[in-house]
Structure formats: C-alpha cells, structure tokens
Amino acid sequence: MKKILVTGGCGYIGSHTIVDLVENGFEAISVDNNSKSSPRILEGIEKITGKKIKNYKVDLCNFDDTFAIFQENTDIVGIIHFAAFKSVSESVEQPLMYFENNLVSLINLLKCVQEFNIPYFVFSSSCTVYGNPDVIPVTEQTPPKPAESPYGYTKQMGEQIINEFSKANPSQSVLLRYFNPVGAHPSTLIGELPIGKPANLVPVITQTAIGRLPQVTVYGDDYPTRDGSCIRDYIHVCDIAHAHTLAVQFLINGRSSKRCEVFNLGSGNGVTVLEAIKAFEEVSGVALNYTIGDRRPGDVVAIYANNEYARKMLSWATKYTLADMMATAWKWEQRLKVDEKFFQSKSYDLN
Ligand code: WQD
C-alpha cells in the first residue's frame, strides 16, 4: 500500500480524508500536535476503517522533530498538508502567530520533501484567496484579490511558496481551494470539534439548536443578494475528503501535466445564510432561534465555485446535498451532547 503522510490528521478535514484514503487502499499516517484537535478522533477513524492510524504528536514548526518522521518513514510517497491555524478572527488579533505557525510549518515540510525526494504534495488552500470576487461563480483563473485577513494571506502565500518550490524541484503539487466544508461522516464517529465558541455558521446553527448557544445572529440581511444575506458554497466534508484521495491518485497516475495544479472544491451551488437556516430547520424539525444583526467585518458578499475543472480532471463529483450536510451536522452535534467529555478528556493531554 502506498503511504501518505497527512498533517493535521486529527482535525476536521484531515480525519475525514484519512478515512477516505484508507477506504481507497492507501496507508495513512498522521502528524498532529493536538493543539487544536483531539487524539480521540483517531479512535473514531479506527472504528470506521478497522485500521489503527499512527499519529506523530509533533509540532511541524520544530524542524528536527519533523525531519525525524521522514527518517522513520522512508516509504512516504505523498503528503497532504492540512495542519494550520484557521480562525479568521483569531488571525486578525494575532497575525504573527498565524504567519509563523502556518508558514514555518509549510517550509519545514517542503524542506523534507526536498531532502527525501517526496514526489507528491497536496495543499489545503481556501476560497479565501479570492477575497470579494467581482464575478461569480469563481474559476481557478479568477484573479486572487487582497486577502481579508492574515489567515487568508497565509493561504495565498502558501500557494505562492509551493508554486515556486514546485518549479525548482522534481515533486509535483496540487492546491485544493475549499469553499465552506460542513457536515460530518455519516457514521457520526468523527466530525468537527470546534474549540470554544464556533465562528462558522453551521456549528453555530447546530449548537443553537441543541441549546448550547442562545441564538444565531445572521450577520446582515442588507446585502445585494436575493434575500439580503451572504451567499456561500457549502460542501460536505466527505466530498472534500474524497477529492483529496482523487488528487493523490491524479498525481500518482501521472495525469498532471503541470508542476503545480489548482482546483476549486465547491459544490457549485450558492446558498444564502437564510436558506441555510431554512434547510437546517426542514431537516432537523427544529425551529431555530435567530435574529438579524450587523454585518461582520471582512465578510465576502457572495462567492461560490465553478467546480468543472476539478470534476473533469479528478473525475470528482459531489455526492452529498445541502440536506445531507445539515442532517449529518445535526446528528454529530447530538452525539457531542452525550460524548463531549470523551473528546476533551485526552485532547489537552499535551505531555
Ligand atoms: C458563512 C456565512 C457569515 C456565523 C470561513 C473562512 C474560510 C473557511 C470557511 C477555512 C457568512 C454567516 C456566520 C454566524 C452568520 N475556513 N454567519 N452568523 O466566513 O464564509 O469562511 O470559514 O478554510 O476560509 O473564511 O464561513 O461559516 O464563518 O460564515 O450569519 O454566527 O455565515 O456572515 O456570510 P466563511 P462562516
């Protein structure tokens, strides 16, 4: 079996991707210092796949510790790099922490790619690189706008670093620009573990519905959209995960003609905040307590993907509907109500 190193393997998208990789015949190992995730997620992955996944509890900003992983695993054929801080608001408050963590970890990894001649590298990027697009849906050729946050800049800079690295080295890369990943694995054994109060819409919805939050504040209904609320491209985390497996296969099978390819990973459907709330209410049967509030600074008015290039080149198709996204997110929230202590009991065991 071909071995793939997944950084951030205990995280939301990383854990779902490990499940998909294993189900498609790959061997996966994880590196995750659990600063923003719980090692308990690995137990969920094992229950789904029957495979025990080794996690190296290493901070990728420590070069020597990162290098040692590759010395111990000389049969790694590819890397999927998720590990990064990803809170837009936190990045505005602590820009240096974001630039250091997200860029030093990437550069350390790329030094190892160079040293150990790792042939393939897949990078977790984001639709944030497009900023507020003039034309939607966005394609991979839509010119990036200035980022709206230091987090967004780390994704733009990360793409540039990998692009230049791929020109100067034999390894090939793929940049995957996620739109809004939501939902959870249908087994409800893995899902998103927001730390503290969530910023993203769907966890706020499910935590409100379960009674952990008092209400959802819709950040503005006076935008120039069909119902006044912002438009986003919500996509199920399992569809995102499978695209990573397909991207690795795309590289391994020699189907990439470029040093560095870029793909939009969105459903291709624009959904407003109010439509997302309605979809949740229909699926859950819960009448959501929400109110209209002020706009949130930095919010993009409307963005959704033209995903034709990824569909064509990766033979990728999304399987999950908006209703599936809401149903699996809701089932996961209901599970957390029972088991949250289970995840927290080891997630902060940093020794
Ligand atoms: C979605 C919409 C809010 C919360 C961010 C990152 C992006 C990616 C996904 C990592 C917006 C509205 C939200 C709430 C609301 N992350 N909203 N009330 O900002 O589109 O994208 O997360 O890769 O890079 O930028 O996601 O879920 O925060 O917001 O009205 O309590 O929901 O205004 O219109 P966003 P989000």
Side-chain angles (χ1 to χ4, degrees), residues 86 88 125-128 151 155 178-181 197 199-202 204 216-220 230-232 234 273 296 299-300:
K86 66 151 197 140
V88 171
S125 190
S126 167
C127 62
T128 304
Y151 161 76
K155 289 303 179 184
Y178 314 150
F179 283 69
N180 288 56
K197 183 180 182 307
N200 294 140
L201 178 65
V202 172
V204 167
V216 177
T217 302
V218 174
Y219 294 139
C230 293
I231 292 173
R232 293 291 183 277
Y234 298 98
V273 175
R296 181 172 68 175
D299 263 339
V300 162

PDB file of all heavy atoms in Angstrom, residues 86 88 125-128 151 155 178-181 197 199-202 204 216-220 230-232 234 273 296 299-300, ligand 1:
ATOM      1  N   LYS A  86      -6.715  28.210  11.574  1.00  0.00           N
ATOM      2  CA  LYS A  86      -7.654  28.590  10.513  1.00  0.00           C
ATOM      3  C   LYS A  86      -8.762  29.544  10.956  1.00  0.00           C
ATOM      4  O   LYS A  86      -9.756  29.712  10.236  1.00  0.00           O
ATOM      5  CB  LYS A  86      -8.275  27.331   9.933  1.00  0.00           C
ATOM      6  CG  LYS A  86      -9.140  26.586  10.908  1.00  0.00           C
ATOM      7  CD  LYS A  86     -10.225  25.827  10.174  1.00  0.00           C
ATOM      8  CE  LYS A  86     -11.292  25.433  11.115  1.00  0.00           C
ATOM      9  NZ  LYS A  86     -12.634  25.557  10.584  1.00  0.00           N
ATOM     10  N   VAL A  88     -10.298  32.980  11.149  1.00  0.00           N
ATOM     11  CA  VAL A  88     -10.152  34.304  10.538  1.00  0.00           C
ATOM     12  C   VAL A  88     -10.031  35.368  11.635  1.00  0.00           C
ATOM     13  O   VAL A  88      -9.097  36.176  11.640  1.00  0.00           O
ATOM     14  CB  VAL A  88     -11.375  34.583   9.621  1.00  0.00           C
ATOM     15  CG1 VAL A  88     -11.396  36.008   9.147  1.00  0.00           C
ATOM     16  CG2 VAL A  88     -11.378  33.623   8.444  1.00  0.00           C
ATOM     17  N   SER A 125      -5.807  24.588   0.651  1.00  0.00           N
ATOM     18  CA  SER A 125      -5.970  26.022   0.491  1.00  0.00           C
ATOM     19  C   SER A 125      -7.453  26.369   0.680  1.00  0.00           C
ATOM     20  O   SER A 125      -8.221  25.567   1.202  1.00  0.00           O
ATOM     21  CB  SER A 125      -5.471  26.473  -0.892  1.00  0.00           C
ATOM     22  OG  SER A 125      -5.435  27.893  -0.931  1.00  0.00           O
ATOM     23  N   SER A 126      -7.822  27.572   0.285  1.00  0.00           N
ATOM     24  CA  SER A 126      -9.161  28.047   0.659  1.00  0.00           C
ATOM     25  C   SER A 126      -9.677  29.057  -0.359  1.00  0.00           C
ATOM     26  O   SER A 126      -8.902  29.783  -0.978  1.00  0.00           O
ATOM     27  CB  SER A 126      -9.085  28.706   2.046  1.00  0.00           C
ATOM     28  OG  SER A 126     -10.265  29.427   2.330  1.00  0.00           O
ATOM     29  N   CYS A 127     -10.981  29.110  -0.477  1.00  0.00           N
ATOM     30  CA  CYS A 127     -11.611  30.109  -1.373  1.00  0.00           C
ATOM     31  C   CYS A 127     -11.339  31.514  -0.852  1.00  0.00           C
ATOM     32  O   CYS A 127     -11.569  32.504  -1.558  1.00  0.00           O
ATOM     33  CB  CYS A 127     -13.120  29.867  -1.439  1.00  0.00           C
ATOM     34  SG  CYS A 127     -13.960  30.032   0.151  1.00  0.00           S
ATOM     35  N   THR A 128     -10.818  31.591   0.351  1.00  0.00           N
ATOM     36  CA  THR A 128     -10.452  32.910   0.897  1.00  0.00           C
ATOM     37  C   THR A 128      -9.471  33.634  -0.009  1.00  0.00           C
ATOM     38  O   THR A 128      -9.424  34.859  -0.049  1.00  0.00           O
ATOM     39  CB  THR A 128      -9.788  32.710   2.282  1.00  0.00           C
ATOM     40  OG1 THR A 128     -10.683  31.979   3.102  1.00  0.00           O
ATOM     41  CG2 THR A 128      -9.454  34.022   2.943  1.00  0.00           C
ATOM     42  N   TYR A 151      -5.061  35.207   8.102  1.00  0.00           N
ATOM     43  CA  TYR A 151      -5.289  33.786   7.758  1.00  0.00           C
ATOM     44  C   TYR A 151      -5.324  33.638   6.238  1.00  0.00           C
ATOM     45  O   TYR A 151      -4.651  32.784   5.667  1.00  0.00           O
ATOM     46  CB  TYR A 151      -6.595  33.285   8.372  1.00  0.00           C
ATOM     47  CG  TYR A 151      -7.101  32.038   7.697  1.00  0.00           C
ATOM     48  CD1 TYR A 151      -6.518  30.808   7.951  1.00  0.00           C
ATOM     49  CD2 TYR A 151      -8.122  32.110   6.746  1.00  0.00           C
ATOM     50  CE1 TYR A 151      -6.950  29.672   7.297  1.00  0.00           C
ATOM     51  CE2 TYR A 151      -8.559  30.983   6.092  1.00  0.00           C
ATOM     52  CZ  TYR A 151      -7.962  29.765   6.361  1.00  0.00           C
ATOM     53  OH  TYR A 151      -8.391  28.653   5.689  1.00  0.00           O
ATOM     54  N   LYS A 155      -2.753  31.588   3.334  1.00  0.00           N
ATOM     55  CA  LYS A 155      -3.141  30.648   2.275  1.00  0.00           C
ATOM     56  C   LYS A 155      -2.603  31.138   0.919  1.00  0.00           C
ATOM     57  O   LYS A 155      -2.095  30.365   0.117  1.00  0.00           O
ATOM     58  CB  LYS A 155      -4.661  30.476   2.220  1.00  0.00           C
ATOM     59  CG  LYS A 155      -5.253  29.718   3.382  1.00  0.00           C
ATOM     60  CD  LYS A 155      -4.637  28.318   3.524  1.00  0.00           C
ATOM     61  CE  LYS A 155      -5.205  27.550   4.697  1.00  0.00           C
ATOM     62  NZ  LYS A 155      -4.539  26.244   4.898  1.00  0.00           N
ATOM     63  N   TYR A 178     -10.748  25.003  -0.822  1.00  0.00           N
ATOM     64  CA  TYR A 178     -12.040  24.591  -0.275  1.00  0.00           C
ATOM     65  C   TYR A 178     -12.975  25.788  -0.218  1.00  0.00           C
ATOM     66  O   TYR A 178     -12.532  26.897   0.109  1.00  0.00           O
ATOM     67  CB  TYR A 178     -11.926  24.071   1.159  1.00  0.00           C
ATOM     68  CG  TYR A 178     -10.827  23.116   1.444  1.00  0.00           C
ATOM     69  CD1 TYR A 178     -10.258  23.063   2.698  1.00  0.00           C
ATOM     70  CD2 TYR A 178     -10.331  22.256   0.469  1.00  0.00           C
ATOM     71  CE1 TYR A 178      -9.235  22.191   2.983  1.00  0.00           C
ATOM     72  CE2 TYR A 178      -9.308  21.370   0.747  1.00  0.00           C
ATOM     73  CZ  TYR A 178      -8.757  21.346   2.008  1.00  0.00           C
ATOM     74  OH  TYR A 178      -7.746  20.488   2.288  1.00  0.00           O
ATOM     75  N   PHE A 179     -14.241  25.530  -0.392  1.00  0.00           N
ATOM     76  CA  PHE A 179     -15.227  26.577  -0.138  1.00  0.00           C
ATOM     77  C   PHE A 179     -15.666  26.394   1.319  1.00  0.00           C
ATOM     78  O   PHE A 179     -14.770  26.447   2.208  1.00  0.00           O
ATOM     79  CB  PHE A 179     -16.291  26.541  -1.237  1.00  0.00           C
ATOM     80  CG  PHE A 179     -15.698  27.193  -2.472  1.00  0.00           C
ATOM     81  CD1 PHE A 179     -14.673  26.561  -3.177  1.00  0.00           C
ATOM     82  CD2 PHE A 179     -16.075  28.471  -2.866  1.00  0.00           C
ATOM     83  CE1 PHE A 179     -14.053  27.177  -4.265  1.00  0.00           C
ATOM     84  CE2 PHE A 179     -15.466  29.088  -3.958  1.00  0.00           C
ATOM     85  CZ  PHE A 179     -14.462  28.451  -4.656  1.00  0.00           C
ATOM     86  N   ASN A 180     -16.901  26.111   1.617  1.00  0.00           N
ATOM     87  CA  ASN A 180     -17.239  26.025   3.044  1.00  0.00           C
ATOM     88  C   ASN A 180     -17.538  24.592   3.467  1.00  0.00           C
ATOM     89  O   ASN A 180     -18.670  24.139   3.320  1.00  0.00           O
ATOM     90  CB  ASN A 180     -18.422  26.950   3.360  1.00  0.00           C
ATOM     91  CG  ASN A 180     -18.007  28.402   3.321  1.00  0.00           C
ATOM     92  OD1 ASN A 180     -17.477  28.881   2.314  1.00  0.00           O
ATOM     93  ND2 ASN A 180     -18.186  29.104   4.418  1.00  0.00           N
ATOM     94  N   PRO A 181     -16.559  23.896   4.020  1.00  0.00           N
ATOM     95  CA  PRO A 181     -16.760  22.495   4.407  1.00  0.00           C
ATOM     96  C   PRO A 181     -17.703  22.408   5.609  1.00  0.00           C
ATOM     97  O   PRO A 181     -17.488  23.108   6.612  1.00  0.00           O
ATOM     98  CB  PRO A 181     -15.361  22.017   4.783  1.00  0.00           C
ATOM     99  CG  PRO A 181     -14.420  23.079   4.315  1.00  0.00           C
ATOM    100  CD  PRO A 181     -15.192  24.344   4.285  1.00  0.00           C
ATOM    101  N   LYS A 197     -16.222  28.958  21.405  1.00  0.00           N
ATOM    102  CA  LYS A 197     -17.418  29.343  20.644  1.00  0.00           C
ATOM    103  C   LYS A 197     -17.093  29.306  19.152  1.00  0.00           C
ATOM    104  O   LYS A 197     -16.127  29.905  18.711  1.00  0.00           O
ATOM    105  CB  LYS A 197     -17.872  30.758  21.038  1.00  0.00           C
ATOM    106  CG  LYS A 197     -19.174  31.196  20.320  1.00  0.00           C
ATOM    107  CD  LYS A 197     -19.596  32.584  20.740  1.00  0.00           C
ATOM    108  CE  LYS A 197     -20.913  33.042  20.101  1.00  0.00           C
ATOM    109  NZ  LYS A 197     -20.964  32.953  18.630  1.00  0.00           N
ATOM    110  N   ALA A 199     -17.066  30.047  15.145  1.00  0.00           N
ATOM    111  CA  ALA A 199     -17.286  31.256  14.327  1.00  0.00           C
ATOM    112  C   ALA A 199     -18.112  30.901  13.094  1.00  0.00           C
ATOM    113  O   ALA A 199     -18.850  31.723  12.573  1.00  0.00           O
ATOM    114  CB  ALA A 199     -15.943  31.832  13.896  1.00  0.00           C
ATOM    115  N   ASN A 200     -17.981  29.625  12.650  1.00  0.00           N
ATOM    116  CA  ASN A 200     -18.605  29.256  11.382  1.00  0.00           C
ATOM    117  C   ASN A 200     -20.105  29.012  11.541  1.00  0.00           C
ATOM    118  O   ASN A 200     -20.577  28.550  12.584  1.00  0.00           O
ATOM    119  CB  ASN A 200     -17.917  28.005  10.801  1.00  0.00           C
ATOM    120  CG  ASN A 200     -16.465  28.270  10.404  1.00  0.00           C
ATOM    121  OD1 ASN A 200     -15.626  27.436  10.635  1.00  0.00           O
ATOM    122  ND2 ASN A 200     -16.187  29.433   9.838  1.00  0.00           N
ATOM    123  N   LEU A 201     -20.833  29.265  10.486  1.00  0.00           N
ATOM    124  CA  LEU A 201     -22.300  29.260  10.538  1.00  0.00           C
ATOM    125  C   LEU A 201     -22.887  27.938  10.987  1.00  0.00           C
ATOM    126  O   LEU A 201     -23.709  27.901  11.913  1.00  0.00           O
ATOM    127  CB  LEU A 201     -22.871  29.622   9.158  1.00  0.00           C
ATOM    128  CG  LEU A 201     -24.403  29.591   9.075  1.00  0.00           C
ATOM    129  CD1 LEU A 201     -25.025  30.678   9.967  1.00  0.00           C
ATOM    130  CD2 LEU A 201     -24.864  29.754   7.624  1.00  0.00           C
ATOM    131  N   VAL A 202     -22.471  26.820  10.368  1.00  0.00           N
ATOM    132  CA  VAL A 202     -23.182  25.563  10.645  1.00  0.00           C
ATOM    133  C   VAL A 202     -22.978  25.080  12.079  1.00  0.00           C
ATOM    134  O   VAL A 202     -23.956  24.709  12.751  1.00  0.00           O
ATOM    135  CB  VAL A 202     -22.832  24.488   9.592  1.00  0.00           C
ATOM    136  CG1 VAL A 202     -23.403  23.141   9.979  1.00  0.00           C
ATOM    137  CG2 VAL A 202     -23.379  24.909   8.221  1.00  0.00           C
ATOM    138  N   VAL A 204     -22.529  27.002  14.584  1.00  0.00           N
ATOM    139  CA  VAL A 204     -23.347  27.932  15.383  1.00  0.00           C
ATOM    140  C   VAL A 204     -24.814  27.510  15.318  1.00  0.00           C
ATOM    141  O   VAL A 204     -25.520  27.482  16.327  1.00  0.00           O
ATOM    142  CB  VAL A 204     -23.166  29.385  14.882  1.00  0.00           C
ATOM    143  CG1 VAL A 204     -24.218  30.319  15.470  1.00  0.00           C
ATOM    144  CG2 VAL A 204     -21.763  29.902  15.223  1.00  0.00           C
ATOM    145  N   VAL A 216     -28.845  32.244  16.906  1.00  0.00           N
ATOM    146  CA  VAL A 216     -27.961  32.533  15.759  1.00  0.00           C
ATOM    147  C   VAL A 216     -28.170  33.992  15.391  1.00  0.00           C
ATOM    148  O   VAL A 216     -29.314  34.450  15.305  1.00  0.00           O
ATOM    149  CB  VAL A 216     -28.327  31.659  14.529  1.00  0.00           C
ATOM    150  CG1 VAL A 216     -27.441  32.023  13.337  1.00  0.00           C
ATOM    151  CG2 VAL A 216     -28.207  30.173  14.860  1.00  0.00           C
ATOM    152  N   THR A 217     -27.081  34.721  15.258  1.00  0.00           N
ATOM    153  CA  THR A 217     -27.179  36.083  14.723  1.00  0.00           C
ATOM    154  C   THR A 217     -26.804  36.028  13.249  1.00  0.00           C
ATOM    155  O   THR A 217     -25.700  35.554  12.917  1.00  0.00           O
ATOM    156  CB  THR A 217     -26.222  37.040  15.464  1.00  0.00           C
ATOM    157  OG1 THR A 217     -26.547  37.019  16.851  1.00  0.00           O
ATOM    158  CG2 THR A 217     -26.351  38.453  14.917  1.00  0.00           C
ATOM    159  N   VAL A 218     -27.733  36.426  12.400  1.00  0.00           N
ATOM    160  CA  VAL A 218     -27.429  36.492  10.957  1.00  0.00           C
ATOM    161  C   VAL A 218     -26.702  37.813  10.730  1.00  0.00           C
ATOM    162  O   VAL A 218     -27.242  38.890  11.011  1.00  0.00           O
ATOM    163  CB  VAL A 218     -28.735  36.444  10.140  1.00  0.00           C
ATOM    164  CG1 VAL A 218     -28.448  36.664   8.648  1.00  0.00           C
ATOM    165  CG2 VAL A 218     -29.452  35.112  10.367  1.00  0.00           C
ATOM    166  N   TYR A 219     -25.461  37.713  10.281  1.00  0.00           N
ATOM    167  CA  TYR A 219     -24.637  38.924  10.171  1.00  0.00           C
ATOM    168  C   TYR A 219     -25.011  39.725   8.913  1.00  0.00           C
ATOM    169  O   TYR A 219     -24.290  39.755   7.930  1.00  0.00           O
ATOM    170  CB  TYR A 219     -23.155  38.555  10.129  1.00  0.00           C
ATOM    171  CG  TYR A 219     -22.652  37.930  11.413  1.00  0.00           C
ATOM    172  CD1 TYR A 219     -21.770  36.854  11.371  1.00  0.00           C
ATOM    173  CD2 TYR A 219     -23.047  38.402  12.664  1.00  0.00           C
ATOM    174  CE1 TYR A 219     -21.299  36.266  12.530  1.00  0.00           C
ATOM    175  CE2 TYR A 219     -22.590  37.820  13.832  1.00  0.00           C
ATOM    176  CZ  TYR A 219     -21.714  36.752  13.762  1.00  0.00           C
ATOM    177  OH  TYR A 219     -21.256  36.163  14.920  1.00  0.00           O
ATOM    178  N   GLY A 220     -26.169  40.338   8.973  1.00  0.00           N
ATOM    179  CA  GLY A 220     -26.568  41.255   7.904  1.00  0.00           C
ATOM    180  C   GLY A 220     -27.566  40.640   6.932  1.00  0.00           C
ATOM    181  O   GLY A 220     -27.373  39.521   6.455  1.00  0.00           O
ATOM    182  N   CYS A 230     -25.659  36.852   3.014  1.00  0.00           N
ATOM    183  CA  CYS A 230     -24.481  36.471   2.189  1.00  0.00           C
ATOM    184  C   CYS A 230     -24.657  35.098   1.545  1.00  0.00           C
ATOM    185  O   CYS A 230     -25.317  34.223   2.099  1.00  0.00           O
ATOM    186  CB  CYS A 230     -23.233  36.417   3.059  1.00  0.00           C
ATOM    187  SG  CYS A 230     -22.701  37.994   3.716  1.00  0.00           S
ATOM    188  N   ILE A 231     -24.010  34.949   0.412  1.00  0.00           N
ATOM    189  CA  ILE A 231     -24.052  33.683  -0.322  1.00  0.00           C
ATOM    190  C   ILE A 231     -22.715  32.958  -0.165  1.00  0.00           C
ATOM    191  O   ILE A 231     -21.654  33.555  -0.315  1.00  0.00           O
ATOM    192  CB  ILE A 231     -24.353  33.929  -1.816  1.00  0.00           C
ATOM    193  CG1 ILE A 231     -25.792  34.444  -1.973  1.00  0.00           C
ATOM    194  CG2 ILE A 231     -24.120  32.673  -2.659  1.00  0.00           C
ATOM    195  CD1 ILE A 231     -26.157  34.877  -3.379  1.00  0.00           C
ATOM    196  N   ARG A 232     -22.791  31.662   0.121  1.00  0.00           N
ATOM    197  CA  ARG A 232     -21.610  30.816   0.220  1.00  0.00           C
ATOM    198  C   ARG A 232     -21.844  29.506  -0.509  1.00  0.00           C
ATOM    199  O   ARG A 232     -22.995  29.155  -0.811  1.00  0.00           O
ATOM    200  CB  ARG A 232     -21.297  30.502   1.704  1.00  0.00           C
ATOM    201  CG  ARG A 232     -20.867  31.705   2.532  1.00  0.00           C
ATOM    202  CD  ARG A 232     -19.502  32.179   2.101  1.00  0.00           C
ATOM    203  NE  ARG A 232     -19.024  33.286   2.912  1.00  0.00           N
ATOM    204  CZ  ARG A 232     -19.342  34.555   2.736  1.00  0.00           C
ATOM    205  NH1 ARG A 232     -20.150  34.900   1.711  1.00  0.00           N
ATOM    206  NH2 ARG A 232     -18.839  35.508   3.517  1.00  0.00           N
ATOM    207  N   TYR A 234     -21.580  25.839   0.302  1.00  0.00           N
ATOM    208  CA  TYR A 234     -21.391  24.825   1.339  1.00  0.00           C
ATOM    209  C   TYR A 234     -21.171  23.470   0.669  1.00  0.00           C
ATOM    210  O   TYR A 234     -21.862  23.132  -0.294  1.00  0.00           O
ATOM    211  CB  TYR A 234     -22.609  24.796   2.276  1.00  0.00           C
ATOM    212  CG  TYR A 234     -22.792  26.118   2.981  1.00  0.00           C
ATOM    213  CD1 TYR A 234     -23.703  27.057   2.506  1.00  0.00           C
ATOM    214  CD2 TYR A 234     -21.993  26.462   4.061  1.00  0.00           C
ATOM    215  CE1 TYR A 234     -23.831  28.299   3.110  1.00  0.00           C
ATOM    216  CE2 TYR A 234     -22.110  27.711   4.672  1.00  0.00           C
ATOM    217  CZ  TYR A 234     -23.024  28.624   4.192  1.00  0.00           C
ATOM    218  OH  TYR A 234     -23.147  29.855   4.786  1.00  0.00           O
ATOM    219  N   VAL A 273     -27.393  32.653   3.734  1.00  0.00           N
ATOM    220  CA  VAL A 273     -27.419  32.289   5.158  1.00  0.00           C
ATOM    221  C   VAL A 273     -28.844  31.905   5.552  1.00  0.00           C
ATOM    222  O   VAL A 273     -29.074  30.883   6.214  1.00  0.00           O
ATOM    223  CB  VAL A 273     -26.894  33.456   6.022  1.00  0.00           C
ATOM    224  CG1 VAL A 273     -27.038  33.148   7.509  1.00  0.00           C
ATOM    225  CG2 VAL A 273     -25.447  33.764   5.679  1.00  0.00           C
ATOM    226  N   ARG A 296     -20.743  41.392   9.522  1.00  0.00           N
ATOM    227  CA  ARG A 296     -19.458  41.013  10.154  1.00  0.00           C
ATOM    228  C   ARG A 296     -18.332  41.558   9.288  1.00  0.00           C
ATOM    229  O   ARG A 296     -18.276  41.243   8.085  1.00  0.00           O
ATOM    230  CB  ARG A 296     -19.373  39.500  10.264  1.00  0.00           C
ATOM    231  CG  ARG A 296     -18.109  38.972  10.921  1.00  0.00           C
ATOM    232  CD  ARG A 296     -18.157  37.474  11.177  1.00  0.00           C
ATOM    233  NE  ARG A 296     -18.147  36.708   9.923  1.00  0.00           N
ATOM    234  CZ  ARG A 296     -18.076  35.367   9.898  1.00  0.00           C
ATOM    235  NH1 ARG A 296     -18.076  34.653  11.018  1.00  0.00           N
ATOM    236  NH2 ARG A 296     -18.044  34.727   8.741  1.00  0.00           N
ATOM    237  N   ASP A 299     -16.494  40.021   5.863  1.00  0.00           N
ATOM    238  CA  ASP A 299     -17.307  39.027   5.161  1.00  0.00           C
ATOM    239  C   ASP A 299     -17.390  39.331   3.662  1.00  0.00           C
ATOM    240  O   ASP A 299     -17.603  40.486   3.277  1.00  0.00           O
ATOM    241  CB  ASP A 299     -18.730  39.008   5.730  1.00  0.00           C
ATOM    242  CG  ASP A 299     -18.902  37.904   6.760  1.00  0.00           C
ATOM    243  OD1 ASP A 299     -18.096  36.948   6.732  1.00  0.00           O
ATOM    244  OD2 ASP A 299     -19.822  37.989   7.580  1.00  0.00           O
ATOM    245  N   VAL A 300     -17.255  38.277   2.881  1.00  0.00           N
ATOM    246  CA  VAL A 300     -17.429  38.375   1.432  1.00  0.00           C
ATOM    247  C   VAL A 300     -18.935  38.364   1.154  1.00  0.00           C
ATOM    248  O   VAL A 300     -19.658  37.616   1.817  1.00  0.00           O
ATOM    249  CB  VAL A 300     -16.719  37.158   0.782  1.00  0.00           C
ATOM    250  CG1 VAL A 300     -17.180  36.921  -0.623  1.00  0.00           C
ATOM    251  CG2 VAL A 300     -15.205  37.329   0.861  1.00  0.00           C
TER     252      VAL A 300
HETATM  253  C1  WQD B   1     -20.550  31.811   6.436  1.00  0.00           C
HETATM  254  C2  WQD B   1     -21.652  32.842   6.338  1.00  0.00           C
HETATM  255  C3  WQD B   1     -21.335  34.780   7.727  1.00  0.00           C
HETATM  256  C4  WQD B   1     -21.746  32.767  11.572  1.00  0.00           C
HETATM  257  C5  WQD B   1     -14.633  30.911   6.702  1.00  0.00           C
HETATM  258  C6  WQD B   1     -13.231  31.125   6.261  1.00  0.00           C
HETATM  259  C7  WQD B   1     -12.928  30.186   5.114  1.00  0.00           C
HETATM  260  C8  WQD B   1     -13.226  28.778   5.524  1.00  0.00           C
HETATM  261  C9  WQD B   1     -14.680  28.658   5.978  1.00  0.00           C
HETATM  262  C10 WQD B   1     -11.213  27.761   6.349  1.00  0.00           C
HETATM  263  C11 WQD B   1     -21.123  34.276   6.316  1.00  0.00           C
HETATM  264  C12 WQD B   1     -22.569  33.994   8.155  1.00  0.00           C
HETATM  265  C13 WQD B   1     -21.655  33.008  10.214  1.00  0.00           C
HETATM  266  C14 WQD B   1     -22.815  33.327  12.317  1.00  0.00           C
HETATM  267  C15 WQD B   1     -23.674  34.302  10.310  1.00  0.00           C
HETATM  268  N1  WQD B   1     -12.368  28.391   6.586  1.00  0.00           N
HETATM  269  N2  WQD B   1     -22.616  33.767   9.605  1.00  0.00           N
HETATM  270  N3  WQD B   1     -23.750  34.075  11.641  1.00  0.00           N
HETATM  271  O1  WQD B   1     -16.583  33.225   6.712  1.00  0.00           O
HETATM  272  O2  WQD B   1     -17.600  32.045   4.673  1.00  0.00           O
HETATM  273  O3  WQD B   1     -15.494  31.232   5.651  1.00  0.00           O
HETATM  274  O4  WQD B   1     -14.840  29.579   7.070  1.00  0.00           O
HETATM  275  O5  WQD B   1     -10.714  27.436   5.325  1.00  0.00           O
HETATM  276  O6  WQD B   1     -11.571  30.315   4.802  1.00  0.00           O
HETATM  277  O7  WQD B   1     -13.116  32.447   5.799  1.00  0.00           O
HETATM  278  O8  WQD B   1     -17.603  30.905   6.903  1.00  0.00           O
HETATM  279  O9  WQD B   1     -19.272  29.884   8.357  1.00  0.00           O
HETATM  280  O10 WQD B   1     -17.936  31.858   9.242  1.00  0.00           O
HETATM  281  O11 WQD B   1     -19.691  32.223   7.503  1.00  0.00           O
HETATM  282  O12 WQD B   1     -24.536  34.994   9.723  1.00  0.00           O
HETATM  283  O13 WQD B   1     -22.938  33.168  13.570  1.00  0.00           O
HETATM  284  O14 WQD B   1     -22.461  32.751   7.510  1.00  0.00           O
HETATM  285  O15 WQD B   1     -21.594  36.169   7.752  1.00  0.00           O
HETATM  286  O16 WQD B   1     -21.936  35.020   5.452  1.00  0.00           O
HETATM  287  P1  WQD B   1     -16.865  31.978   5.960  1.00  0.00           P
HETATM  288  P2  WQD B   1     -18.619  31.184   8.099  1.00  0.00           P
END
